[in-house]
Amino acid sequence: MCGIVGGVTNNDITALLLEGLNRLEYRGYDSSGLIVLSKNNTFDRARSVGKVKNLEDNLKARDQKILGNIGIAHTRWATHGEPSISNAHPHISMNSVSLVHNGIIENYIDLKNDQLNKGYSFTSETDTEVIAHAIDFAMKSCNTLISSVQLAIKSFSGSYGLGIISSKYPDQIIAARKGSPLIIGIGKNGNYIASDQMALLSVTKEFIILEEGDIAEIKINKITIYDLDGILVNRPITISKLKEGQVDLGNYDHFMQKEIFEQPQAIRDTLESRITKDSVVISAFGHKAETIFKEAKQVQIVACGTSFNAGLVAKYWLEDIAKISCNIEVASEYRYRHPMLLDHTLFITLSQSGETADTVEALKTAKIINNNISTLCITNSAESSLTRLSDLTFLTHAGPEIGVASTKAFTTQLVSLALLTCTIGKLKNIINKKQEKKIIDGLKRLPGLVNEALLQEVQIKDLAIRFKDTNSALFLGRGTMHAIAMEGALKLKEISYIHAEAYPAGELKHGPIALIDRDMPVIAIAPNDELLGKLKSNLQEVKSRGSQMIVFEDTNSKVEAMDAMEVIPVTSNLGRITAPIIFTIPLQLLSYHVALIKGTDVDKPRNLAKSVTVE
């Protein structure tokens, strides 16, 4: 969730640290800070509450610039301690050690009490400060910075991604990773660390992905990496395919808006080389995919947030179309409830970043419970914890997604799950060639259908005005559209702070109908499917209670408009697979324009971070 950037260079590092923080601000923005080692080997630090711009203003207001060739920086999403300057990173111990930290030290109270007894004082409420003190104490018995870090981390329980510098070792940064992603960037004028490649794209495209337990000593002309057991290791260098322009706004006002409109291309990229004229390329899921899918007797999906909603759609598809049993569960619950896993289960994890902490841990738990399962991760990140832990990987090819509220990651996950459904169905002789071709034809239509749905933006923008004084909203759908209603409600609450709930339309009489009045807008999704008649009856129930209604429909659904009801045709002739994907689009646009009217921070909503890498 939080962002780390640092480097050892031939040049002044401050400008690069600020640039990296701006690129990483989507990961956390309660506070930010940076620290450099000045030429006389003393720490020079600046910290500010709020967005990175506040830190930049802080630096501009200083009489003396912060200058140095080695430094670290951090943008924070608060876990321990409220957002404040004293809790902002970097933290310092005894003017000898400074560090930035992603993750949570679970035994920090015990460590803190021990350190207080040793004479250390604390200036923050964070768990991070105990790390700095532990390293400073270890330096008293070690003769290198990296050996001090190796000794100190033995006392930590929890997760960490660390960038560490010391006034006593002014030529190096130590990077350590356990449960929180960290990379090393290899540049012409120095070497760098970051929690995300995007922070360093202006100086390098060459990266080393640190593996679980790795500790690295990074100097201007040398990188040395040790594994968890202290054994010297070599990690491969990867070349990033990201481009700097991919993380710029271009002609859009917000990243969320840009990413909504990038969905046609993102879907094309996800389908590219995965389908032929009339079939799915099975090997796109990995060279062992055919054997694994044929042997699979059931599917278990675990995910969080938006990815969970995508998985819920897939449950309908897999059972209805591929005729294979499918369960789905929130990852944070799954990992703690001692689940049963049958042999030959296909265990699927969904995560945009591939680093979602609960999902990663759920996968580890599943592999311990039963080693006779197969694992597949669907992610947007080729170099992630989930990809390294899984037997099979399917990349969504959505490109960088900066907006905290996921849009193109969600629709490309649905496309990926549709390809999976088709693949399993045909390998189990449930889907014949004619049916497979029909599915492929529908998927090929998706980019054009999304473009059609995007044309409704002007009308949706006008509808959003209705939400100016709204505090709550209700979303309704049936079948797969219940999952899409859940996604629509999630988007609205995430970025506009309106309380929103989603219900299966048939559940109205079991409680939600009590909430409906003239002040409660109801948003319904009306595809032309076998449940349309029942949905229309549900709409009548809502309308009779005086609610304002918005209905997004297939043009063939022919929902009859009534007073205070807007019916918006989205597109037509959608199938079981294309419909959930297309009806997602107007809900994204609605939440975006409501947020604009509410005046909230669309790309960086309060209290949220893009990648949840701690519990």
Side-chain angles (χ1 to χ4, degrees), residues 405-460:
S406 181
T407 51
K408 61 179 180 174
F410 177 70
T411 49
T412 53
Q413 280 181 350
L414 289 178
V415 170
S416 304
L417 290 162
L419 292 172
L420 175 68
T421 300
C422 187
T423 302
I424 291 176
K426 77 172 182 176
L427 287 174
K428 291 186 174 296
N429 298 315
I430 300 298
I431 296 174
N432 60 36
K433 289 184 178 181
K434 183 179 178 181
Q435 292 168 322
E436 182 181 12
K437 185 178 186 306
K438 185 177 180 181
I439 292 171
I440 297 303
D441 288 344
L443 292 173
K444 288 178 179 177
R445 291 176 60 217
L446 276 174
L449 292 171
V450 172
N451 276 322
E452 287 180 19
L454 290 169
L455 295 176
Q456 305 299 325
E457 184 181 26
V458 174
Q459 189 174 0
I460 292 169

Side-chain angles (χ1 to χ4, degrees), residues 195-222:
S195 51
D196 192 311
Q197 293 178 11
M198 284 188 287
L200 302 175
L201 288 178
S202 64
V203 290
T204 185
K205 292 291 186 69
E206 296 186 1
F207 296 97
I208 296 172
I209 313 298
L210 291 180
E211 296 189 8
E212 188 77 353
D214 282 355
I215 302 176
E217 180 185 79
I218 300 155
K219 298 182 178 181
I220 197 165
N221 55 6
K222 185 179 181 182

Side-chain angles (χ1 to χ4, degrees), residues 228-409:
L228 185 61
D229 297 319
I231 299 172
L232 188 66
V233 293
N234 289 314
R235 301 299 185 208
I237 296 173
T238 63
I239 308 300
S240 175
K241 296 181 181 178
L242 293 177
K243 299 177 182 178
E244 283 194 76
Q246 287 182 286
V247 294
D248 293 333
L249 273 173
N251 296 322
Y252 294 95
D253 294 326
H254 300 91
F255 281 108
M256 182 180 181
Q257 182 189 31
K258 178 186 179 187
E259 288 153 10
I260 288 172
F261 280 84
E262 285 177 340
Q263 287 175 112
Q265 187 57 50
I267 290 170
R268 289 188 194 96
D269 292 342
T270 302
L271 291 172
E272 185 179 356
S273 76
R274 271 75 180 268
I275 56 174
T276 63
K277 183 178 179 180
D278 52 11
S279 66
V280 180
V281 178
I282 300 172
S283 61
F285 289 92
H287 70 276
K288 297 186 291 184
E290 183 167 353
T291 300
I292 288 173
F293 292 167
K294 281 182 177 179
E295 292 179 350
K297 294 180 179 178
Q298 70 167 12
V299 174
Q300 173 69 58
I301 301 174
V302 295
C304 300
T306 284
S307 294
F308 175 82
N309 294 336
L312 190 56
V313 174
K315 173 179 170 62
Y316 282 96
W317 286 343
L318 286 163
E319 295 196 337
D320 180 29
I321 299 171
K323 307 300 182 188
I324 186 170
S325 174
C326 178
N327 298 310
I328 176 165
E329 193 159 349
V330 173
S332 58
E333 291 296 316
Y334 185 86
R335 60 182 287 202
Y336 289 118
R337 70 169 182 83
H338 308 294
M340 297 294 294
L341 263 179
L342 301 178
D343 290 351
H344 303 296
T345 294
L346 176 60
F347 192 91
I348 300 175
T349 53
L350 303 176
S351 168
Q352 189 277 144
S353 66
E355 299 291 352
T356 308
D358 286 312
T359 307
V360 172
E361 292 304 318
L363 175 57
K364 292 178 181 177
T365 298
K367 294 174 79 170
I368 293 171
I369 292 170
N370 188 340
N371 61 10
N372 196 23
I373 63 169
S374 297
T375 57
L376 163 68
C377 78
I378 295 177
T379 180
N380 195 35
S381 176
E383 300 291 343
S384 67
S385 296
L386 284 179
T387 60
R388 290 193 290 273
L389 288 168
S390 301
D391 299 319
L392 304 174
T393 296
F394 191 92
L395 299 177
T396 57
H397 292 174
E401 188 179 65
I402 306 301
V404 167
S406 181
T407 51
K408 61 179 180 174

Side-chain angles (χ1 to χ4, degrees), residues 557-572:
S557 296
K558 301 188 184 333
V559 174
E560 184 178 347
M562 295 174 270
D563 291 341
M565 176 195 283
E566 290 281 347
V567 179
I568 303 172
V570 177
T571 186
S572 61

Side-chain angles (χ1 to χ4, degrees), residues 33-214:
L34 60 81
I35 195 166
V36 302
L37 268 175
S38 62
K39 290 184 179 180
N40 60 356
N41 293 337
T42 59
F43 290 132
D44 201 350
R45 177 175 65 174
R47 298 181 291 176
S48 295
V49 175
K51 297 182 180 179
V52 174
K53 185 179 185 304
N54 296 343
L55 179 64
E56 292 175 320
D57 293 341
N58 177 345
L59 292 170
K60 289 176 184 177
R62 290 190 168 211
D63 294 331
Q64 191 168 357
K65 291 184 177 180
I66 290 181
L67 299 173
N69 299 95
I70 178 170
I72 50 178
H74 190 266
T75 181
R76 180 174 186 253
W77 189 82
T79 51
H80 287 82
E82 66 181 7
S84 67
I85 289 178
S86 63
N87 288 331
H89 299 211
H91 289 286
I92 301 173
S93 176
M94 307 301 286
N95 289 315
S96 71
V97 175
S98 181
L99 59 83
V100 289
H101 167 223
N102 289 350
I104 293 177
I105 302 302
E106 296 171 355
N107 63 332
Y108 83 102
I109 293 176
D110 292 337
L111 292 172
K112 183 174 182 178
N113 289 335
D114 178 61
Q115 291 166 0
L116 286 168
N117 291 332
K118 290 174 179 175
Y120 285 96
S121 61
F122 287 79
T123 61
S124 77
E125 304 168 284
T126 70
D127 58 330
T128 298
E129 204 170 357
V130 302
I131 305 175
H133 291 330
I135 295 170
D136 175 77
F137 186 77
M139 287 171 65
K140 301 179 190 303
S141 59
C142 299
N143 56 14
T144 65
L145 182 56
I146 193 165
S147 61
S148 302
V149 175
Q150 288 171 322
L151 176 61
I153 63 174
K154 291 179 181 179
S155 65
F156 304 154
S157 295
S159 61
Y160 52 79
L162 298 171
I164 305 156
I165 59 176
S166 171
S167 57
K168 296 179 180 179
Y169 300 93
D171 63 339
Q172 61 192 264
I173 292 178
I174 302 299
R177 179 255 165 100
K178 179 188 176 187
S180 192
L182 206 60
I183 61 170
I184 298 171
I186 304 170
K188 293 180 180 179
N189 296 309
N191 293 312
Y192 311 90
I193 65 168
S195 51
D196 192 311
Q197 293 178 11
M198 284 188 287
L200 302 175
L201 288 178
S202 64
V203 290
T204 185
K205 292 291 186 69
E206 296 186 1
F207 296 97
I208 296 172
I209 313 298
L210 291 180
E211 296 189 8
E212 188 77 353
D214 282 355

Side-chain angles (χ1 to χ4, degrees), residues 388-563:
R388 290 193 290 273
L389 288 168
S390 301
D391 299 319
L392 304 174
T393 296
F394 191 92
L395 299 177
T396 57
H397 292 174
E401 188 179 65
I402 306 301
V404 167
S406 181
T407 51
K408 61 179 180 174
F410 177 70
T411 49
T412 53
Q413 280 181 350
L414 289 178
V415 170
S416 304
L417 290 162
L419 292 172
L420 175 68
T421 300
C422 187
T423 302
I424 291 176
K426 77 172 182 176
L427 287 174
K428 291 186 174 296
N429 298 315
I430 300 298
I431 296 174
N432 60 36
K433 289 184 178 181
K434 183 179 178 181
Q435 292 168 322
E436 182 181 12
K437 185 178 186 306
K438 185 177 180 181
I439 292 171
I440 297 303
D441 288 344
L443 292 173
K444 288 178 179 177
R445 291 176 60 217
L446 276 174
L449 292 171
V450 172
N451 276 322
E452 287 180 19
L454 290 169
L455 295 176
Q456 305 299 325
E457 184 181 26
V458 174
Q459 189 174 0
I460 292 169
K461 185 177 180 180
D462 292 338
L463 288 174
I465 297 171
R466 295 186 180 188
F467 291 77
K468 184 176 185 297
D469 299 315
T470 294
N471 295 315
S472 294
L474 186 64
F475 287 72
L476 299 177
R478 302 196 72 135
T480 55
M481 294 306 154
H482 172 229
I484 300 306
M486 290 173 62
E487 176 63 12
L490 177 60
K491 288 291 159 284
L492 190 66
K493 70 181 75 169
E494 279 181 318
I495 64 171
S496 70
Y497 315 147
I498 291 174
H499 170 250
E501 289 192 65
Y503 275 90
E507 281 289 290
L508 276 171
K509 295 190 186 75
H510 296 276
I513 201 165
L515 298 171
I516 295 174
D517 59 21
R518 295 182 184 277
D519 297 323
M520 170 75 82
V522 176
I523 300 95
I525 309 168
N528 184 27
D529 59 18
E530 67 275 9
L531 293 172
L532 178 61
K534 293 186 180 297
L535 177 67
K536 287 181 177 180
S537 297
N538 300 140
L539 299 182
Q540 289 288 344
E541 292 170 348
V542 173
K543 195 67 202 73
S544 66
R545 270 74 183 177
S547 171
Q548 300 181 61
M549 294 191 67
I550 298 171
V551 181
F552 294 107
E553 71 161 0
D554 185 302
T555 54
N556 294 320
S557 296
K558 301 188 184 333
V559 174
E560 184 178 347
M562 295 174 270
D563 291 341

